[in-house]
Amino acid sequence: MTTAKARREEIYHLAVTTGLASVEELSRHFRVTASTIRRDLAQLNEQGKLARTYGGAVALGAHPEPSLRQRTGEAFEQKQAIAAWAASEVKEGENILLDGGSTVGAMAHALRGRENLSVTTPGINTLQELADSPGIQVDCLGGRLRGVSQTFVGPLAEAALERMSFDRVFLGADAVTVEDGLCEADQAQTRLKELMARRGNTVYVLADSTKLGKRPFHAWVQLPAPWILVTDDQADPGQVELFRNAGVTVQLVDVSSAQAAAS
């Protein structure tokens, strides 16, 4: 039987590497009550290792970025609408590159069942979404796995990109600003995005409105114009104007219409 100390150490390890599941999922995983998990999280919080969140906690200091699991539920409707619009841009016979991240992963889900497509990706979620779509050829950019973002990065992925080109490239981002470009928590990811953007005829950045103008981290990449920012219609008009004045094409996706079409 797992001791309380060992259980708490494993909970902290999960927070550092892949992000925490909900209290209920942790309860099932360790086969203890939800109250026991809450006490574990409270003690880890008192020790300064975790910060409590609604339904769980995140590690302090190790990975300030939320995990892919956590990001999937953020701005869910906006991401689904953006993903559906982006998927509609892809034409039969095209060769496309899909970044990692929750919004691009939602786009991969929207592509399921399509025919005569070639998709390359460093993202595990996209690989999982398209693994059983026989009409789509899927190639993986291998490399070092970043557990928190569930993407492959590093020299192996970069070397593979040098041998490829794409009709369309779809990038995600933790934030986007006019001045500095795409923001990420990790330099290896910004380097990979920079190279990905160079390999596409048309480059899209899929970023919901909550990410515009924000600076959550300190790793950046500027994209060469032209590129297309795909965001939702709740975006700040001032931010939209800044991007358009800088020569970026901005596509505003109507979230309500997308929800109606999906229902």
Side-chain angles (χ1 to χ4, degrees):
M1 176 135 180
T2 304
T3 65
K5 181 180 178 181
R7 185 177 62 248
R8 289 165 189 156
E9 288 176 351
E10 186 172 349
I11 289 173
Y12 176 69
H13 175 73
L14 287 171
V16 170
T17 55
T18 61
L20 282 174
S22 67
V23 168
E24 289 73 20
E25 288 175 310
L26 289 171
S27 174
R28 289 194 296 270
H29 176 77
F30 290 104
R31 297 182 180 180
V32 296
T33 66
S35 296
T36 298
I37 293 297
R38 291 190 185 96
R39 287 194 294 270
D40 289 339
L41 296 179
Q43 183 161 335
L44 289 167
N45 177 248
E46 291 175 359
Q47 294 170 353
K49 292 183 176 181
L50 299 183
R52 293 297 299 272
T53 66
Y54 181 78
V58 294
L60 286 173
H63 282 293
E65 62 182 310
S67 69
L68 179 64
R69 179 199 294 269
Q70 292 163 330
R71 283 183 283 136
T72 297
E74 297 173 350
F76 181 79
E77 291 80 11
Q78 293 93 323
K79 290 178 179 180
Q80 294 296 312
I82 290 168
W85 184 92
S88 71
E89 286 285 281
V90 178
K91 306 298 187 293
E92 183 177 349
E94 288 190 333
N95 182 22
I96 65 172
L97 177 60
L98 298 185
D99 195 5
S102 55
T103 309
V104 181
M107 177 186 171
H109 181 81
L111 289 171
R112 288 167 56 90
R114 296 280 293 273
E115 297 291 335
N116 191 23
L117 290 181
S118 178
V119 175
T120 300
T121 184
I124 288 180
N125 56 346
T126 290
L127 295 175
Q128 292 172 330
E129 289 286 0
L130 300 180
D132 58 352
S133 291
I136 302 178
Q137 174 184 307
V138 181
D139 292 305
C140 176
L141 293 178
R144 174 176 58 85
L145 177 63
R146 289 192 74 239
V148 69
S149 63
Q150 295 289 286
T151 57
F152 293 101
V153 298
L156 293 178
E158 295 168 12
L161 274 175
E162 294 178 359
R163 297 173 177 265
M164 302 176 178
S165 63
F166 304 92
D167 297 301
R168 304 177 197 271
V169 173
F170 296 88
L171 301 176
D174 287 330
V176 191
T177 73
V178 172
E179 300 82 5
D180 295 316
L182 276 61
C183 179
E184 292 288 341
D186 180 75
Q187 293 283 358
Q189 283 202 243
T190 56
R191 172 60 177 165
L192 187 61
K193 290 177 192 292
E194 179 183 13
L195 298 178
M196 292 167 74
R198 294 178 185 176
R199 308 308 296 170
N201 294 336
T202 306
V203 178
Y204 304 78
V205 175
L206 311 186
D208 67 78
S209 56
T210 66
K211 298 179 178 179
L212 305 188
K214 303 297 177 60
R215 299 172 175 274
F217 305 114
H218 299 285
W220 297 87
V221 56
Q222 276 280 10
L223 298 184
W227 55 278
I228 302 168
L229 172 62
V230 187
T231 190
D232 59 85
D233 58 355
Q234 299 173 30
D236 183 321
Q239 284 292 326
V240 172
E241 183 178 5
L242 287 174
F243 281 102
R244 286 175 171 162
N245 289 343
V248 177
T249 299
V250 180
Q251 174 65 46
L252 295 176
V253 178
D254 186 329
V255 177
S256 299
S257 296
Q259 289 177 316
S263 61

